[in-house]
Amino acid sequence: MTDFENIFQGKECGQPGEPAHGRLVSTEILFYPGEEVTYSCHTGYVLAGRDRRVCGEDGTWSGALPSCSKWINP
């Protein structure tokens, strides 16, 4: 087994998604178990949901894709 195969065991998760009016923050292109992504929203929007997701051993992302809602100043 090569070093590459030793590092990346488990299923690749695929793209984790990106919320409307927001952005995915990651330096990766392919995502393997244990790798994490973070989310943020564009100016004027607030994040609803968790700001982090982790690629699981089974090839699925933890939690749900967060959303970005328009900030309404009370």
Side-chain angles (χ1 to χ4, degrees):
M1 196 179 279
T2 67
D3 287 338
F4 181 80
E5 290 170 327
N6 284 329
I7 293 170
F8 298 114
Q9 292 184 6
K11 294 183 177 182
E12 194 255 327
C13 282
Q15 293 300 309
E18 187 169 271
H21 309 292
R23 66 183 71 78
L24 167 70
V25 181
S26 176
T27 58
E28 303 298 327
I29 296 172
L30 298 175
F31 301 95
Y32 293 92
E35 294 181 334
E36 183 178 280
V37 296
T38 58
Y39 294 94
S40 63
C41 294
H42 298 156
T43 303
Y45 290 84
V46 293
L47 191 70
R50 295 187 179 264
D51 68 343
R52 297 176 193 276
R53 295 177 82 190
V54 178
C55 176
E57 293 290 328
D58 62 354
T60 62
W61 286 101
S62 64
L65 179 66
S67 61
C68 294
S69 302
K70 184 95 171 134
W71 170 254
I72 300 173
N73 193 358

